[in-house]
Amino acid sequence: DWVRCHDTELHRNRELVVPDLTKGEEYWFRVFAVNEVGEGPPGDVPGRVIVKERVEEVEMDLDAAIKDGVTVRAGNPVRLMAYFKGRPEPKCSWKREGTEIKMRGKPENTSISTALIIKQAARTD
């Protein structure tokens, strides 16, 4: 049995995103053209479609406020921000001079950014 994967609205851009597909499953599709006269015969899309996670290279951008470096007086707070995207969602960690930072600061991660927040910076940070 064939199931319609969209409502009756016409898609003039000739592109359709089909939601709620299951990763790893196989699907076959048909396409129909519709005009004022009605719906034409189906056209089978050749081959099957296997649902996979879309993979995108990681892109990272530092917040403009820190691109040229940061100077903070000892005892003052510091917030370092970076924005990223990629698929699957990247995991973020902070390093200083190539080694993991001992967490005096508290990282805050979202799906698009990471921030390292140190409430009272020390000379050793």
Side-chain angles (χ1 to χ4, degrees), residues 27-78:
Y27 295 90
W28 288 262
F29 291 93
R30 283 184 165 167
V31 62
F32 293 83
V34 180
N35 65 12
E36 295 79 25
V37 177
E39 187 173 270
D44 290 333
V45 175
R48 66 181 192 246
V49 174
I50 300 173
V51 179
K52 295 180 182 178
E53 177 92 29
R54 190 172 70 206
V55 177
E56 296 174 356
E57 189 172 316
V58 175
E59 293 180 35
M60 170 108 29
D61 190 28
L62 296 175
D63 187 70
I66 67 172
K67 281 189 177 183
D68 294 327
V70 177
T71 303
V72 178
R73 296 181 126 206
N76 287 337
V78 62

Side-chain angles (χ1 to χ4, degrees), residues 66-122:
I66 67 172
K67 281 189 177 183
D68 294 327
V70 177
T71 303
V72 178
R73 296 181 126 206
N76 287 337
V78 62
R79 180 183 180 97
L80 306 173
M81 270 308 271
Y83 303 93
F84 58 85
K85 66 179 182 176
R87 281 187 178 259
E89 185 178 309
K91 305 246 185 293
C92 293
S93 63
W94 287 88
K95 295 183 179 187
R96 184 181 67 195
E97 298 175 5
T99 58
E100 289 284 331
I101 294 175
K102 290 182 181 162
M103 282 299 161
R104 270 187 19 84
K106 177 185 171 196
E108 290 182 1
N109 296 323
T110 71
S111 62
I112 62 166
S113 68
T114 180
L116 179 63
I117 301 164
I118 301 172
K119 290 184 179 182
Q120 291 185 323

